[in-house]
Amino acid sequence: MSKTKERTPDAAAIGVPPQGREAAPVTPPRVSARRRRPGMIALSLALIAAGGAGVAVLMLQVGHRTQVVTVVRDVQVGQVLTEQDLGRASISLDPAVKTVKADDLGSVVGKRAAVELKPGSLLTLSQVTKDSLVKAGEQLVPIGLKPEQVPATELVPGQKVQLVHVPAQGETAKASGTPPESIAGRVVKASKAAPGTGIVVVDVATSANDGPTVASWVSSSTLRLVLDAQDGS
């Protein structure tokens, strides 16, 4: 019987170096470095710088607050301002808003409200005046207007009006073509419509000579109020 000779695996096949020969060092695969693009680096740096500048500006705006004068209670048109009517607040203010600085509060105390002031609002110089709303040589005449006589345009202080005399019932009208008698006036204050009746009371300043005449027209219900154009023409 013949003996079968077992085959011995080749040493080189299984990674074992032949005797007497040293194994060559294994060279790691070369990794190619990615090329850097100077343009992309510059763009990244610019974006980082812009973001940092934006944050800095935002922080400055949030941190920059101004002490201003506020209104703390109702003040009617023509009323003299007192320290009790005003307060102070610290706010981030847009430079376009012309408010009264808190340090200047004393300069507005003693002046009159040119418009109606409401609590919680900021005070501006255009809302106050050192002049009386009824000037020397003028008289203030209250005029009650029924809902159908109130103009759709809101009546505001300083608005120029014409007080027109119309014939009463049974009164003989003037000759045709003759314009009705009228007196110039200026709105000082207009109230809100009264609940139930809707009547609006308008305080109108007229010359001292015309005041009694206007009052008589009001009492006889022969007066109508007409708005002048805004430019006074």
Side-chain angles (χ1 to χ4, degrees), residues 77-78 113-115 132-135 138-143 145 151 153-163 183-191 200-206 225-228:
V77 177
V115 297
S132 173
L133 297 183
V134 180
K135 302 175 182 179
E138 291 183 336
Q139 290 184 345
L140 190 67
V141 182
I143 301 172
L145 299 177
T153 302
E154 183 180 4
L155 295 171
V156 295
Q159 194 167 27
K160 294 182 179 180
V161 296
Q162 290 292 323
L163 307 176
I183 294 174
R186 187 183 70 259
V187 174
V188 173
K189 181 182 178 181
S191 71
V200 173
V201 178
V202 184
D203 290 341
V204 177
T206 65
L225 184 146
V226 180
L227 299 180
D228 277 346

Side-chain angles (χ1 to χ4, degrees), residues 191-217:
S191 71
K192 302 296 183 182
T197 63
I199 292 178
V200 173
V201 178
V202 184
D203 290 341
V204 177
T206 65
S207 68
N209 293 331
D210 293 329
T213 302
V214 173
S216 67
W217 293 351

